[in-house]
């Protein structure tokens, strides 16, 4: 009977040692995972920023292309200054008409 009790006590001690070792291993794994999560978040931020920067760069290039096209068109029309003045007057008159229509809509909404 004493032999069985000693064996049981020994087994319990072994189980405690195994649990303690398991806890240390688990803490080590959690620590490594937290470091990995930090690295992932840093890498993710870098990726997102790179995508954002490349998108911004592409947008700026498109804007520059459009601007250069507009500048070329303006240079082509520079000899026809009267045409540009006529277009500007037409645009001004349309803007005035739009403003009057908006004003009338606001007045009608308030009634």
């Amino acid at each position: 009977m004493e032999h069985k009790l000693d064996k049981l006590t020994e087994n319990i001690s072994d189980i405690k040692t195994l649990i303690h070792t398991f806890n240390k291993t688990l803490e080590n794994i959690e620590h490594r995972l937290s470091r990995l999560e930090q690295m992932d978040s840093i890498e993710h931020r870098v990726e997102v920023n790179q995508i954002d920067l490349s998108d911004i760069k592409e947008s700026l290039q498109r804007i520059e292309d459009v601007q250069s096209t507009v500048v070329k068109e303006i240079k082509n029309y520079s000899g026809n200054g009267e045409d540009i003045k006529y277009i500007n007057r037409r645009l001004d008159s349309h803007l005035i008409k739009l403003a009057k229509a908006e004003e009338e809509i606001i007045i009608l909404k308030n009634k």
Side-chain angles (χ1 to χ4, degrees):
M1 182 78 166
E2 277 185 46
H3 179 66
K4 287 183 179 181
L5 221 92
D6 287 340
K7 188 117 172 131
L8 185 63
T9 306
E10 203 174 292
N11 286 340
I12 289 174
S13 176
D14 287 345
I15 290 173
K16 284 182 179 180
T17 305
L18 284 173
I19 289 174
H20 184 68
T21 304
F22 179 73
N23 281 338
K24 282 186 175 181
T25 305
L26 186 62
E27 287 174 4
N28 188 17
I29 289 171
E30 286 176 348
H31 177 71
R32 290 174 128 188
L33 281 174
S34 71
R35 288 181 58 213
L36 183 63
E37 286 174 2
Q38 288 175 351
M39 290 300 290
D40 282 346
S41 68
I42 289 170
E43 288 175 359
H44 176 72
R45 279 188 250 144
V46 167
E47 286 177 11
V48 168
N49 287 337
Q50 286 176 344
I51 289 170
D52 289 341
L53 290 176
S54 64
D55 287 344
I56 291 170
K57 182 180 177 183
E58 289 173 7
S59 297
L60 286 174
Q61 286 174 342
R62 280 185 266 144
I63 289 171
E64 287 175 356
D65 291 342
V66 169
Q67 284 179 344
S68 65
T69 305
V70 168
V71 167
K72 287 177 186 175
E73 290 297 319
I74 289 174
K75 285 181 181 178
N76 289 339
Y77 279 111
S78 65
N80 301 330
E82 291 301 316
D83 290 342
I84 293 175
K85 288 180 185 177
Y86 175 73
I87 291 171
N88 284 336
R89 280 185 296 210
R90 296 263 331 244
L91 288 174
D92 288 342
S93 67
H94 285 292
L95 287 174
I96 291 170
K97 288 178 185 176
L98 283 172
K100 286 180 182 178
E102 286 178 352
E103 186 178 356
E104 289 176 10
I105 289 171
I106 291 172
I107 290 172
L108 289 174
K109 279 185 181 179
N110 289 336
K111 285 186 178 182

